[in-house]
């Protein structure tokens, strides 16, 4: 997957892309990440990227020209590389559709993603109307820039790409993938400060472990995020268990 990110602060991406699964995915050519400084696409002497809002009010707004030019240049490069058509151009904004594991899965199917990070009061509305194809929010709060939001989106997407997590780790039974929160996890020691790991996990009985985990996932989801249970993919027996737990 090729990922192109437009920002006013390219250096913010050095650290996350330099470690862990990102670094491994880049080193193994599973992803190619390019960061573009929006300022490089200005033409005036002062490299102006923002301006006062029409109609007045506090703060500054990112100008449309450098963003359009940068995206169009990136697009022309991508189109000369391949012809599979759809190219998501995503603006990170608190006004976008709420990001979720489902959207991460949806984005992981594309071969290219372009992400635009806003700053200040945001971007000129013409960018939203005539350039971007998608607007994503990472939650109902306001950040000072889209960079952290872009990292969140890219992180959630990249770990879903084939080969990125490696064979020892898998994402299929994680929270939000099955519609349930994940069961509790334990590692050694079996007893720490007199707190023991549940016996069933030490039993070596895989069927019992799987059953316990599934029940714990249901219980935990019920306690913490009951609204998720209604949409979760449960068999009849599990649905009955959930109903019993809900009533008790
Ligand atoms: N004035 C805007 C907020 C601007 S915040 C408004 O009220 O809608 C500055 C930039 O931070 C935005 O352009 C966006 O790129 C980013 N940002 C802030 N909160 C975000 C969120 N919850 N999700 C994604 N991006 C966000």
């Amino acid at each position: 997957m090729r990922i192109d990110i437009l920002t006013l602060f390219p250096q913010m991406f050095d650290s996350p892309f330099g470690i862990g699964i990102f670094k491994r995915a880049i080193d193994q050519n599973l992803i190619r990440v390019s960061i573009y400084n929006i300022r490089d696409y200005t033409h005036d002497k002062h490299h102006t990227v923002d301006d006062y809002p029409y109609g007045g009010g506090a703060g500054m707004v990112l100008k449309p020209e450098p963003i359009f030019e940068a995206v169009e240049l990136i697009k022309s490069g991508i189109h000369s590389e391949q012809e599979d058509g759809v190219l998501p151009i995503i603006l990170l904004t608190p006004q976008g559709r709420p990001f979720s594991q489902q959207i991460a899965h949806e984005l992981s199917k594309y071969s290219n993603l372009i992400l635009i990070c806003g700053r200040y009061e945001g971007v000129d509305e013409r960018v939203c109307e005539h350039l971007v194809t998608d607007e994503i929010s990472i939650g109902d709060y306001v950040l000072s820039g889209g960079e952290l939001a872009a990292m969140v989106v890219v992180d959630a997407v990249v770990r879903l790409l084939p080969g990125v997590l490696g064979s020892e780790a898998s994402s299929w039974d994680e929270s939000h993938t099955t519609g349930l929160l994940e069961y509790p996890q334990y590692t050694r020691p079996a007893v720490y400060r007199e707190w023991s790991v549940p016996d069933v996990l030490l039993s070596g009985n895989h069927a019992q472990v799987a059953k316990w985990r599934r029940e714990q996932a249901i219980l935990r989801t019920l306690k913490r995020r009951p609204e998720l249970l209604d949409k979760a993919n449960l068999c009849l027996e599990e649905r009955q268990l959930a109903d019993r737990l809900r009533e008790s």
Side-chain angles (χ1 to χ4, degrees):
M1 173 182 274
R2 171 175 167 173
I3 302 165
D4 297 290
I5 304 175
L6 279 74
T7 170
L8 284 180
F9 297 99
Q11 66 275 26
M12 281 186 74
F13 292 89
D14 291 349
S15 163
F17 288 130
I19 55 165
I21 66 151
F22 278 140
K23 184 174 183 319
R24 216 168 60 201
I26 292 169
D27 289 348
Q28 295 176 352
N29 287 324
L30 296 169
I31 55 168
R32 188 148 55 104
V33 185
S34 308
I35 313 289
Y36 303 84
N37 191 335
I38 297 170
R39 210 171 283 286
D40 292 342
Y41 298 84
T42 53
H43 300 294
D44 63 311
K45 195 168 80 198
H46 301 291
H47 301 287
T48 314
V49 290
D50 57 341
D51 209 334
Y52 295 99
Y54 273 121
M60 301 295 273
V61 175
L62 289 186
K63 291 163 68 59
E65 308 95 307
I67 299 179
F68 269 86
E69 282 188 35
V71 168
E72 281 160 5
L73 210 74
I74 296 166
K75 267 170 78 172
S76 63
I78 291 172
H79 286 142
S80 65
E81 242 173 50
Q82 57 205 49
E83 291 138 30
D84 70 348
V86 208
L87 171 55
I89 303 171
I90 302 165
L91 176 69
L92 284 313
T93 161
Q95 304 184 22
R97 55 182 180 137
F99 191 55
S100 63
Q101 190 65 18
Q102 198 187 335
I103 296 180
H105 271 283
E106 174 194 321
L107 299 180
S108 71
K109 307 283 182 252
Y110 293 104
S111 51
N112 299 271
L113 296 177
I114 298 179
L115 294 107
I116 304 171
C117 307
R119 276 270 154 183
Y120 317 125
E121 285 309 310
V123 303
D124 185 288
E125 187 64 20
R126 287 163 291 190
V127 170
C128 316
E129 281 180 3
H130 304 294
L131 185 66
V132 308
T133 61
D134 196 0
E135 298 184 33
I136 290 180
S137 163
I138 63 157
D140 290 342
Y141 38 79
V142 178
L143 303 165
S144 44
E147 289 77 11
L148 291 172
M151 288 173 206
V152 166
V153 170
V154 171
D155 187 312
V157 169
V158 165
R159 63 200 299 288
L160 294 175
L161 299 177
V164 167
L165 283 189
S167 57
E168 77 283 5
S170 103
S171 55
W172 72 269
D173 64 348
E174 280 181 322
S175 302
H176 303 296
T177 302
T178 56
L180 296 173
L181 302 180
E182 197 181 59
Y183 48 80
Q185 298 270 24
Y186 295 88
T187 185
R188 285 188 284 186
V191 181
Y192 174 63
R193 294 192 177 179
E194 299 175 10
W195 300 308
S196 316
V197 171
D199 287 340
V200 59
L201 296 179
L202 311 177
S203 70
N205 183 331
H206 297 305
Q208 285 296 322
V209 170
K211 183 163 178 283
W212 180 85
R213 285 183 164 167
R214 190 73 182 161
E215 285 172 3
Q216 289 294 315
I218 293 171
L219 190 62
R220 181 159 275 218
T221 310
L222 185 66
K223 277 193 187 148
R224 299 182 185 200
R225 298 288 304 279
E227 80 283 5
L228 295 179
L229 261 190
D230 301 329
K231 283 186 280 169
N233 193 5
L234 302 183
C235 69
L236 180 64
E237 205 181 316
E238 289 171 333
R239 190 59 68 198
Q240 286 168 344
L241 171 69
D243 291 341
R244 276 203 306 281
L245 291 170
R246 215 191 294 257
E247 279 155 21
S248 62

